[in-house]
Amino acid sequence: NIRALALVVYSKRVAAQSGQNPQQNQQNLAEARELAERGLQALKTAVKPEGMSAEGFGKFKSQVAGVFNGATGLWSLQNKNYPDAQEHLRAAVNDNPNDFKDVYPLALAYLSAKPSDDLNGLWFAARSVNLAQAANFPEQSIKAIAEFGRVRYMKYHGGEDGWAALLEQTK
């Protein structure tokens, strides 16, 4: 049941990201990843339910694929498998480009890789700042995200000219 898998994966990911116990968080995320991989496999052969429009089925598949790819990508990021994290998180962001919980980890996946992909990483870091502002994150969190992006931008460009323009472009 793809819908049930998506619900469990989403719940496990939320629990992993909001829990206080690092060991339990890692276990929840590992379980989410395992179930997400099953879900991604099931999507490949999923048959449109009777009574559902082709458009509705396409939207459903896109939504659950985003949930599955986001969980798999986050697990890969935490386990320093940056190419896999980039692949899955990019797929999740393509399905939902305004979801901070996938956009910011995608920025980290690009910027943490060796060698880093600074162009994509900086773009998604700037996008994360805008999404955090739009979602009314606490000011301290927005400042921390923006400072991380600005410092990485300065390291890449040698100065901060252009950072404000990038923030504007990624709104």
Side-chain angles (χ1 to χ4, degrees):
N1 185 326
I2 294 171
R3 189 179 309 271
L5 277 173
L7 227 93
V8 174
V9 167
Y10 181 81
S11 297
K12 294 263 182 205
R13 179 180 177 172
V14 168
Q17 291 182 290
S18 59
Q20 299 296 319
N21 180 337
Q23 186 176 1
Q24 184 64 45
N25 295 347
Q26 187 62 21
Q27 182 179 342
N28 279 328
L29 197 54
E31 290 172 8
R33 179 190 144 265
E34 182 180 316
L35 294 170
E37 287 181 352
R38 284 178 39 198
L40 288 169
Q41 287 302 315
L43 278 176
K44 291 178 183 178
T45 58
V47 178
K48 180 179 79 63
E50 205 173 298
M52 182 181 272
S53 71
E55 182 182 331
F57 186 56
K59 185 176 179 180
F60 167 75
K61 285 175 63 174
S62 176
Q63 288 172 337
V64 296
V67 170
F68 297 147
N69 279 308
T72 301
L74 185 61
W75 182 88
S76 295
L77 176 63
Q78 288 193 353
N79 287 280
K80 299 181 175 139
N81 182 345
Y82 301 119
D84 192 65
Q86 292 166 8
E87 175 188 340
H88 287 283
L89 289 167
R90 187 63 184 252
V93 168
N94 287 345
D95 286 330
N96 189 356
N98 297 318
D99 192 345
F100 177 87
K101 76 176 175 15
D102 292 325
V103 173
Y104 188 64
L106 179 58
L108 296 176
Y110 282 128
L111 294 171
S112 300
K114 302 291 182 228
S116 61
D117 179 345
D118 292 313
L119 294 179
N120 279 310
L122 291 169
W123 196 92
F124 284 106
R127 179 78 180 129
S128 297
V129 174
N130 289 307
L131 291 173
Q133 289 171 333
N136 293 317
F137 279 31
E139 191 61 34
Q140 181 180 356
S141 297
I142 295 169
K143 283 181 180 179
I145 296 163
E147 183 63 11
F148 169 74
R150 187 183 71 77
V151 167
R152 287 300 298 253
Y153 184 89
M154 287 176 27
K155 180 180 173 188
Y156 179 72
H157 281 281
E160 114 173 56
D161 353 335
W163 173 244
L166 182 60
L167 286 171
E168 187 61 34
Q169 178 189 16
T170 59
K171 276 190 176 177

